[in-house]
Amino acid sequence: METKLVKIHQIEESQEEIEEAAQLIRRGEVVAFPTETVYGLGGNGWKQDAVRKIYEAKGRPSDNPLILHICDMEMIGELAKEVPESAKKAMEHFWPGPMTVILKKSDKVPGCVTGGLDTVAVRMPSDETARELIRRSGVPIAAPSANTSGRPSPTKAEHVWEDLNGKIPMILDGGAVKVGVESTIIDFTVEPPVILRPGRITKKALEDVIGCPSEMNTSMKETDGGVPKAPGMKYKHYAPKARMILVLGSSREKVTEKINELVSEARSRGQRTGVMATDESEAYYQADEVVSVGTRKNMETVMANLYDVLRGFDGRGVEIIYSEGFEGEPLEEAVMNRLVKAAGHEIIRV
């Protein structure tokens, strides 16, 4: 299959290109498109064949549920049986934006989208290209991240091209995304609401809007029956090709010292080493490849650069990566959620 890469500039100047993508969606094909979080791989959320093509292109397990993307509030009525008051408050405040809500699904939503669950995940992206594509398609677009399953999510069109060239008919290139990590997922089918995946919208921000406490649960429980309720809960995600180890500690000096010690040991074994550092610590490491992911003074820079840096190590021939951790601040929770999964939960504390 030939993959067409189409650059999107201003929406008004790209109507023909977006309409071409929408026609593919309506026909049951899949298209990669930008959102403010990461690039999505979208298909018609009503068509089982389209959903199957998403799973096939990604190599994604079929019990890993997809998010249905909408362009206006009217579409919610077709997707959900009920919308609790707390969910309404959150949607009115945070949509369009990087928040996914889990609601009781309507009978119209096919089970292949929800991983067989009686709940559905829904999001209204703020990216104008994404919303225009949904509007022109006339259907909710089922979309996970547009990458090979388990790999770091794509934040640029070239990341999508690396993973899916020849597997899908079209990629809409909207440039680098703004947020850089996936949406916050909140389960509103329970009381209190439960955050299943942290993101740009923090626990405190949510509670301030809905006026009640929420809980955090980013891993599966025995009562889930082996079926993840949200993307990213069950399988290894966001991982570079190299082995990755997180190093956490009570002080940055101890972390730096430990990482340099591990780097020295790895190099003595003949391994090519990489360190994912920050602007504040980059100069103190002695690995073959040292890359800053951003500054601790502004965690939004870290979120925006995270996946690009992880993918960059693949192109540098690195065999083992050591990374600093992030703990304490609300946005650091979203970054750590991704790093822990990328490292396969391999963590050293000093």
Side-chain angles (χ1 to χ4, degrees), residues 27-316:
R27 291 205 304 264
E29 297 297 333
V30 294
V31 172
F33 63 97
T35 77
E36 74 277 19
T37 56
V38 299
Y39 274 73
L41 179 61
N44 188 331
W46 299 136
K47 290 191 174 183
Q48 293 190 31
D49 285 349
V51 174
R52 176 179 52 78
K53 289 176 182 177
I54 294 171
Y55 284 114
E56 288 178 352
K58 281 181 62 73
R60 181 184 177 97
S62 60
D63 66 343
N64 205 1
L66 303 178
I67 295 171
L68 287 176
H69 292 67
I70 63 174
C71 62
D72 57 53
M73 293 298 292
E74 293 180 7
M75 299 180 80
I76 280 284
E78 290 187 284
L79 305 179
K81 283 185 176 179
E82 57 188 47
V83 182
E85 191 61 32
S86 57
K88 289 179 184 176
K89 290 179 181 178
M91 294 184 318
E92 287 171 0
H93 186 84
F94 294 116
W95 275 2
M99 178 188 72
T100 295
V101 300
I102 292 184
L103 306 167
K104 290 290 184 182
K105 84 175 188 72
S106 72
D107 294 335
K108 188 175 180 180
V109 177
C112 57
V113 170
T114 66
L117 297 171
D118 63 355
T119 56
V120 61
V122 186
R123 180 164 102 82
M124 187 191 299
S126 63
D127 184 273
E128 291 185 2
T129 299
R131 290 208 313 280
E132 182 67 8
L133 175 63
I134 299 164
R135 187 185 70 78
R136 284 183 168 271
S137 299
V139 297
I141 293 183
S145 54
N147 57 295
T148 301
S149 188
R151 295 270 290 129
S153 299
T155 55
K156 300 175 180 177
E158 49 260 45
H159 297 162
V160 183
W161 184 265
E162 287 172 10
D163 283 13
L164 300 181
N165 180 29
K167 298 180 181 179
I168 62 175
M170 180 178 281
I171 301 168
L172 296 180
D173 180 0
V177 305
K178 292 183 174 66
V179 176
V181 298
E182 296 81 356
S183 59
T184 304
I185 298 180
I186 308 157
D187 184 0
F188 284 103
T189 67
V190 293
E191 286 290 345
V194 177
I195 296 173
L196 300 178
R197 183 176 71 189
R200 177 64 185 82
I201 295 168
T202 65
K203 186 174 185 290
K204 182 181 184 305
L206 172 67
E207 292 173 349
D208 287 347
V209 168
I210 64 177
C212 66
S214 65
E215 295 181 354
M216 182 83 72
N217 176 34
T218 59
S219 59
M220 291 179 60
K221 299 178 291 187
E222 291 184 10
T223 53
D224 294 330
V227 179
K229 203 167 190 179
M233 293 187 73
K234 183 176 181 181
Y235 299 97
K236 187 177 181 181
H237 275 62
Y238 324 121
K241 294 175 182 177
R243 178 187 175 192
M244 184 171 169
I245 299 172
L246 279 179
V247 181
L248 309 178
S250 57
S251 74
R252 292 182 195 172
E253 291 78 13
K254 289 182 179 180
V255 169
T256 303
E257 182 181 348
K258 184 61 177 179
I259 288 178
N260 278 331
E261 176 188 322
L262 293 167
V263 165
S264 179
E265 292 172 0
R267 295 177 79 174
S268 71
R269 298 191 298 267
Q271 290 180 294
R272 184 168 173 77
T273 58
V275 170
M276 189 160 74
T278 59
D279 289 357
E280 292 80 5
S281 63
E282 184 178 12
Y284 299 104
Y285 290 112
Q286 300 154 10
D288 297 299
E289 299 288 344
V290 180
V291 183
S292 172
V293 72
T295 174
R296 289 181 181 272
K297 297 175 183 177
N298 182 0
M299 285 303 296
E300 292 187 0
T301 65
V302 176
M303 288 195 297
N305 296 329
L306 179 63
Y307 293 138
D308 193 37
V309 170
L310 287 176
R311 283 179 171 269
F313 280 120
D314 290 345
R316 297 166 184 251

